Amino acid sequence: MTRDQVRQAVLDIIIDIAPDEDFSAIKDEENLRDQFDLDSMDFLDIVMELRKRFNLEVPEKDYPELISMASSVEYLFPRLKDWKLAS
Amino acid sequence: MRYDALIIGAGLSGLAAGIRLAMFDKKVLIVEKHVEIGGLNSFYTRKHRTFDVGLHAMTNYTPKGTRSSPLGKLLKQLRFRHEEFRLCQQVMSEIRFPEKALRFTNDFGFLEQEVAEQFPREADGFQKLVAHIRAFDELNLDDTEKISSRKILEHYLSDPLLIDMLYCPTMYYGNAREGDMDFYQFVIMFKSIFMEGFAKPVGGMPYILNLMLDKYQTLGGEIRMGCGVQSIASKDGELQAVHLADGATVQADKVISSAGYVETMRLCDSCGEDEKPDRVGQISFMESLFVLDREPKELGFDKSIIFFSTRPQFHYRVPDTLIDVTSGVFCCPNNFEYPEPLAEGMLRLTNMASFKMWDGLVRKDYRAAKKEQGRRAVEALLAFFPDFRDHVIYEDAFTPKTIHKYTGHLNGAVYGSPEKAKDGLTPVKNLFICGTDQGFLGIIGATLSGISMANRHVLQAEPNLENGRS
Ligand SMILES: Cc1cc2nc3c(=O)[nH]c(=O)nc-3n(C[C@H](O)[C@H](O)[C@H](O)COP(=O)(O)OP(=O)(O)OC[C@H]3O[C@@H](n4cnc5c(N)ncnc54)[C@H](O)[C@@H]3O)c2cc1C
């Protein structure tokens, strides 16, 4: 996956977990929790979806890496770059 | 057959737990004793009419976009859109006592205003109580400190009438204890009734339940109806297997039960715990349903829900008669902001009732008593409300016995045990409690309970959480 695809993958996940939210104005550098009121239940879902979709385990000590869109891409890109998206 | 998780009960908490687990590809089986889903909040059909059993209103109404409220969390966790619940808000509700009435809507400011007008000397204390309530984290699963709400209410308020008026709705809609109420539970109910509010889904409970069942099954969850769990085998505190009423044996890594704490422990052959009598719930209700030949508002009923006491002192306790007609909840299902009016007018009346008394009647007397008690309950209302008896075209009633029969809750205790297992743990490792006896109840509460127990004990299970109660 490219960086853009990783970003899109994260966006797809948060769109799925918060279907009532409008993410079109998302600011990549800003804290997701504050922008969209995501709570610990939502972060659990992001982690669970990463496991389900990409077979990727995010250990609890790494949860802070998912704080913003930019930091998530930073953290996930090296771990997902070899992942082939089904076309 | 081996499952990641087996869930006992297809009520709201069981269905919600099932959805969460199926969503993350767990192999899940829900086992339900009854032939209908819904448990305490089911429905039944008589003479071509479908009646909700447990629905006056959904508490906890918050509008779309409120993310951190219980309803907002629930929708996100189960991945429903707000619109999918098709919620229609209440018009206005009321707490009616002999000398005073407090009206409230889904706008909390309205109630604050009412209290200030009706109880001017209590206005300040009420604001302090509200500040205390706002600051309290009632959803903390690890806070097991027991605090009496009565002490706290008496600390802030000096007029016993106002205290009883606040207790009437909060107790009727969610208190498993006689006389007093745990403070965290009071906070849950206060927020869900007054600070959030009431709504009803278009299509009633069958609609919501089927929405949940569909989602669960679409995600690959399995369900077995009409086949209860007969026993749970464990050895040295370790879960072994689950035996079903039809003789089948199911293996599961985890079992989450919504049957109630004592009820679940009774299914365990050797759970290593003696039953504590005060853990058995007692509070139950009789509910009478009246189908009318016109809309309730044409007869002078313009509120959505009325919590009333015909005496200045409100007593929340099991009566030593069949029912207690001196207080109750009076619900007009038509008075919600539906896009289209309901097909028929209806009134529902709930009174506290004694399981023991109802259970002691033989069949013939039981039927006669239902009629007779329904009549008494209505007569007691006439001091307050217009007479609607000439407009009733059909009536039915259910009692604590009915609730016990269809949900298995001992004594037909609608709010289960007064002692809640907030962390969901039992003496048996990998056997957990969700729903009513975990501590979140009501429609939204039970659903959230199923979600949080599935999250905590299965999805994010960490070794130190799995060890059961020490
Ligand atoms: C008359 C009445 C009015 C109510 N009004 C409202 C209201 O207006 N608003 C509101 O929010 N809430 C209301 N409630 C409360 C609400 O219905 C409950 O709090 C909620 O439904 C509880 O859900 P639960 O999943 O915890 O338990 P339950 O719904 O009781 O689910 C437990 C399930 O387990 C099944 N079961 C039990 N034993 C076994 C076994 N051995 N094997 C297999 N299955 C088993 C039962 O059949 C049941 O389906 C009302 C309840 C009643 C009874």
Side-chain angles (χ1 to χ4, degrees):
Chain A
M1 281 207 269
T2 66
R3 273 178 183 276
D4 274 350
Q5 285 168 331
V6 172
R7 182 183 180 282
Q8 190 58 47
V10 175
L11 192 60
D12 288 345
I13 289 177
I14 56 182
I15 288 172
D16 279 353
I17 66 174
D20 279 335
E21 267 336 300
D22 175 10
F23 291 101
S24 57
I26 185 170
K27 299 196 187 71
D28 282 24
E29 302 299 327
E30 268 179 40
N31 194 320
L32 285 169
R33 194 180 277 261
D34 297 342
Q35 278 185 86
F36 304 106
D37 238 343
L38 299 186
D39 59 14
S40 54
M41 278 178 151
D42 300 316
F43 279 90
L44 170 67
D45 275 37
I46 297 177
V47 170
M48 296 294 303
E49 287 293 340
L50 288 167
R51 179 194 291 172
K52 180 168 150 182
R53 296 180 193 195
F54 305 110
N55 219 348
L56 177 79
E57 287 295 336
V58 180
E60 206 172 334
K61 67 170 176 34
D62 291 350
Y63 286 9
E65 308 281 349
L66 305 176
I67 189 149
S68 68
M69 181 56 107
S71 70
S72 300
V73 175
E74 207 52 50
Y75 173 78
L76 295 171
F77 176 63
R79 292 168 172 78
L80 292 177
K81 66 179 192 310
D82 296 331
W83 184 272
K84 297 263 177 301
L85 284 179
S87 45
Chain B
M1 227 182 310
R2 184 152 200 112
Y3 290 88
D4 293 319
L6 178 138
I7 296 169
I8 306 179
L12 287 156
S13 64
L15 288 169
I19 292 177
R20 285 295 293 169
L21 298 179
M23 190 178 281
F24 298 109
D25 299 334
K26 301 286 176 208
K27 197 167 161 51
V28 204
L29 174 67
I30 299 180
V31 179
E32 169 57 55
K33 188 162 71 175
H34 190 27
V35 294
E36 294 285 4
I37 57 174
L40 286 165
N41 226 304
S42 196
F43 47 87
Y44 64 96
T45 306
R46 284 277 152 83
K47 303 241 159 93
H48 314 297
R49 292 187 173 93
T50 301
F51 296 105
D52 286 327
V53 176
L55 179 74
H56 289 171
M58 241 146 111
T59 55
N60 298 91
Y61 177 82
T62 46
K64 183 181 165 104
T66 320
R67 301 136 167 167
S68 53
S69 66
L71 177 63
K73 279 189 207 262
L74 176 165
L75 292 170
K76 273 202 293 192
Q77 287 275 301
L78 300 182
R79 313 247 172 115
F80 286 116
R81 287 170 190 282
H82 196 280
E83 302 82 59
E84 279 179 277
F85 268 37
R86 307 200 306 207
L87 294 174
C88 307
Q89 298 193 61
Q90 66 161 324
V91 178
M92 181 183 283
S93 293
E94 185 173 43
I95 308 165
R96 176 92 69 97
F97 274 53
E99 276 151 42
K100 287 233 176 6
L102 289 171
R103 295 169 305 162
F104 61 98
T105 63
N106 287 355
D107 168 12
F108 183 58
F110 191 95
L111 177 68
E112 292 178 298
Q113 186 68 34
E114 286 275 296
V115 172
E117 281 167 19
Q118 302 286 318
F119 294 91
R121 276 183 297 170
E122 300 289 322
D124 187 48
F126 184 71
Q127 282 311 320
K128 290 192 175 124
L129 172 67
V130 169
H132 189 142
I133 289 172
R134 280 191 202 277
F136 192 84
D137 178 13
E138 73 284 6
L139 302 181
N140 182 347
L141 300 177
D142 300 306
D143 177 9
T144 48
E145 197 191 345
K146 285 224 164 36
I147 311 173
S148 145
S149 61
R150 200 170 277 284
K151 288 219 176 78
I152 294 187
L153 265 68
E154 285 170 357
H155 172 76
Y156 290 113
L157 306 172
S158 47
D159 191 335
L161 179 61
L162 179 57
I163 294 179
D164 276 354
M165 289 181 83
L166 294 175
Y167 267 143
C168 186
T170 49
M171 285 188 164
Y172 260 108
Y173 271 12
N175 189 16
R177 203 178 276 295
E178 298 185 77
D180 200 350
M181 189 170 185
D182 293 336
F183 186 63
Y184 88 91
Q185 189 63 38
F186 177 79
V187 173
I188 290 182
M189 298 317 300
F190 189 93
K191 289 184 179 171
S192 70
I193 296 170
F194 299 129
M195 298 176 129
E196 294 171 348
F198 295 151
K200 274 171 89 84
V202 175
M205 276 325 278
Y207 170 73
I208 298 286
L209 288 164
N210 284 320
L211 196 67
M212 293 188 46
L213 180 63
D214 271 359
K215 175 148 282 187
Y216 173 68
Q217 291 183 310
T218 308
L219 290 165
E222 296 172 41
I223 186 162
R224 289 196 56 183
M225 301 294 299
C227 173
V229 168
Q230 189 89 57
S231 66
I232 301 170
S234 67
K235 202 168 159 235
D236 304 326
E238 299 265 349
L239 185 67
Q240 302 276 307
V242 176
H243 301 291
L244 307 186
D246 65 0
T249 296
V250 182
Q251 305 285 335
D253 291 345
K254 316 251 168 146
V255 173
I256 303 181
S257 171
S258 65
Y261 186 88
V262 175
E263 292 83 344
T264 302
M265 288 301 111
R266 286 192 185 174
L267 294 172
C268 297
D269 22 298
S270 55
C271 64
E273 190 177 82
D274 292 331
E275 191 169 306
K276 298 185 190 71
D278 55 0
R279 262 202 115 129
V280 180
Q282 305 291 340
I283 301 284
S284 194
F285 305 111
M286 171 175 178
E287 179 136 323
S288 310
L289 313 166
F290 305 94
V291 179
L292 306 175
D293 63 3
R294 60 197 65 196
E295 289 262 330
K297 49 175 188 293
E298 293 172 43
L299 297 169
F301 298 95
D302 58 350
K303 302 289 186 296
S304 305
I305 299 182
I306 303 164
F307 302 87
F308 68 90
S309 169
T310 61
R311 302 202 181 134
Q313 272 200 331
F314 167 62
H315 293 291
Y316 188 76
R317 62 178 174 214
V318 181
D320 37 19
T321 46
L322 287 164
I323 67 170
D324 177 354
V325 298
T326 65
S327 76
V329 187
F330 200 30
C331 169
C332 311
N334 305 77
N335 297 341
F336 285 76
E337 293 179 340
Y338 289 110
E340 316 245 328
L342 298 181
E344 287 181 306
M346 190 187 221
L347 292 171
R348 315 178 59 123
L349 174 60
T350 306
N351 296 97
M352 274 179 274
S354 158
F355 176 78
K356 215 185 277 153
M357 300 288 294
W358 284 100
D359 198 42
L361 298 174
V362 297
R363 191 177 166 80
K364 175 170 70 52
D365 295 347
Y366 175 79
R367 294 189 151 202
K370 268 189 8 180
K371 274 222 160 70
E372 168 65 13
Q373 297 306 312
R375 194 186 55 71
R376 276 185 67 224
V378 173
E379 271 169 11
L381 284 178
L382 299 178
F384 272 174
F385 301 104
D387 196 345
F388 59 87
R389 289 174 296 185
D390 288 347
H391 301 279
V392 175
I393 51 177
Y394 181 76
E395 65 177 282
D396 195 26
F398 55 89
T399 73
K401 214 174 141 156
T402 327
I403 298 172
H404 173 254
K405 179 171 167 200
Y406 289 110
T407 70
H409 289 287
L410 295 170
N411 296 329
V414 171
Y415 301 128
S417 168
E419 302 295 331
K420 301 301 184 191
K422 276 197 195 176
D423 54 15
L425 298 177
T426 71
V428 179
K429 190 175 161 184
N430 292 329
L431 169 63
F432 307 103
I433 298 295
C434 77
T436 308
D437 277 356
Q438 182 268 321
F440 300 160
L441 38 79
I443 297 166
I444 301 293
T447 308
L448 262 189
S449 167
I451 293 171
S452 25
M453 292 301 108
N455 285 354
R456 188 177 179 126
H457 296 301
V458 184
L459 298 179
Q460 56 185 165
E462 288 170 79
N464 59 342
L465 275 176
E466 288 175 28
N467 292 333
R469 203 189 298 285
S470 51

